[in-house]
Amino acid sequence: MIYVTGDTHADAARLSPQNLRKLKENDTLIICGDFGFLWNGDKKEEKILRELGSRKYHICFIDGTHENFKLLNEAPTVEWRYGKVKSIYGNLRYLLRGELYHMEGMKVFVMGGGESPDMDMRAGTGHWSREEMPSKEELYHGLANIEKAHFDVDFIFTHEPPLKTKEFLGLSGDGEIRVSALNSYFDEIGKICKYKKWYFGSMHLDKKISQTHIAVFRDILNAVTGEKLKP
């Protein structure tokens, strides 16, 4: 089974064995950005990563905007489920931008990254990286993989939502709006590609926007049904 949750920001309680006790061997949990547990590379952090990677199920994350991209890039790149990932430790993996994976007979497309709403403030502190936004090469790579899938996937997992979805959330007062070319790119993806559900985490909301678009934050959802995993 594939499950999904939103930004964890290095909150260990969110991924505690108690909260994930219903996940079975070889299930997969996908985190929609801002994983946060690769930040300073100290021994405490390494201990957490080893514990997460030692679970019987898979924990996978895409990148958001609050990441240490240097540490992420240093991890070895390997093949996993027909796509490329960064192997962090054991069953803990970083899903790379624009990759297409085959999970449990379903096609899963991912694209991390985004533009920080607090970019102006963070730029002067050394805690902001230009790498938070996908490059042209990564965006083209994503389009190429969607074309290989004949413009038909089962699930899309991103950090940022499509432009129209983000504008809708802004109009409804559910979040600060700062749109970028990436949001427009996702709008185009939505026009050319069929999909069952699209999950995103950057808005820090647990809200079903439509039958296909779902904002996820603290909830853990069954990716197939969109239903919340009960304690």
Side-chain angles (χ1 to χ4, degrees):
M1 191 66 68
I2 303 173
Y3 297 93
V4 57
T5 192
D7 303 7
T8 48
H9 291 286
D11 182 354
R14 293 271 306 279
L15 300 178
S16 69
Q18 176 70 12
N19 280 349
L20 303 180
R21 68 183 184 279
K22 290 195 175 180
L23 272 66
K24 299 177 181 178
E25 186 172 2
N26 290 325
D27 282 346
T28 301
L29 173 68
I30 296 177
I31 299 165
C32 288
D34 286 349
F35 177 61
F37 290 97
L38 277 88
W39 190 254
N40 54 32
D42 62 17
K43 291 189 179 299
K44 179 180 179 181
E45 189 171 86
E46 183 179 348
K47 182 179 179 181
I48 293 172
L49 295 174
R50 286 180 176 274
E51 193 280 323
L52 292 174
S54 298
R55 307 273 180 92
K56 62 183 179 180
Y57 42 81
H58 305 279
I59 297 177
C60 301
F61 63 94
I62 61 175
D63 59 282
T65 56
H66 294 75
E67 310 283 7
N68 185 328
F69 289 97
K70 181 177 184 297
L71 288 180
L72 289 177
N73 292 335
E74 287 174 352
T77 302
V78 300
E79 295 284 333
W80 185 73
R81 296 188 175 177
Y82 299 96
K84 292 182 179 180
V85 301
K86 291 285 187 178
S87 178
I88 307 303
Y89 183 85
N91 282 338
L92 178 63
R93 299 173 181 88
Y94 163 38
L95 305 180
L96 298 181
R97 295 172 177 175
E99 287 295 302
L100 183 72
Y101 304 98
H102 293 254
M103 301 184 184
E104 301 184 17
M106 295 175 286
K107 291 178 286 187
V108 174
F109 175 77
V110 308
M111 178 66 77
E115 186 175 81
S116 302
D118 57 350
M119 178 180 66
D120 298 335
M121 180 178 67
R122 292 174 59 210
T125 67
H127 294 144
W128 175 80
S129 171
R130 293 184 184 276
E131 291 183 70
E132 69 175 19
M133 280 290 283
S135 66
K136 288 182 179 180
E137 291 75 17
E138 289 168 332
L139 297 179
Y140 287 138
H141 177 63
L143 287 172
N145 274 329
I146 285 176
E147 184 176 4
K148 288 179 183 177
H150 305 290
F151 303 97
D152 189 353
V153 302
D154 292 287
F155 302 107
I156 297 177
F157 296 96
T158 60
H159 182 60
E160 279 285 301
L163 177 62
K164 290 182 180 178
T165 302
K166 193 167 189 177
E167 288 178 336
F168 168 78
L169 289 171
L171 290 172
S172 64
D174 284 329
E176 178 184 352
I177 292 302
R178 180 168 184 159
V179 299
S180 70
L182 183 60
N183 302 114
S184 298
Y185 170 86
F186 287 148
D187 261 12
E188 294 304 311
I189 293 292
K191 292 176 183 177
I192 64 173
C193 184
K194 294 180 180 179
Y195 54 91
K196 294 183 175 71
K197 285 186 169 56
W198 186 323
Y199 294 94
F200 58 91
S202 69
M203 303 302 287
H204 288 189
L205 287 171
D206 288 297
K207 185 169 183 174
K208 186 175 183 180
I209 313 303
S210 67
Q211 290 297 320
T212 53
H213 291 75
I214 301 172
V216 62
F217 183 31
R218 295 188 176 277
D219 288 347
I220 299 171
L221 306 179
N222 180 316
V224 177
T225 65
E227 294 178 355
K228 182 178 178 179
L229 183 67
K230 297 180 180 178

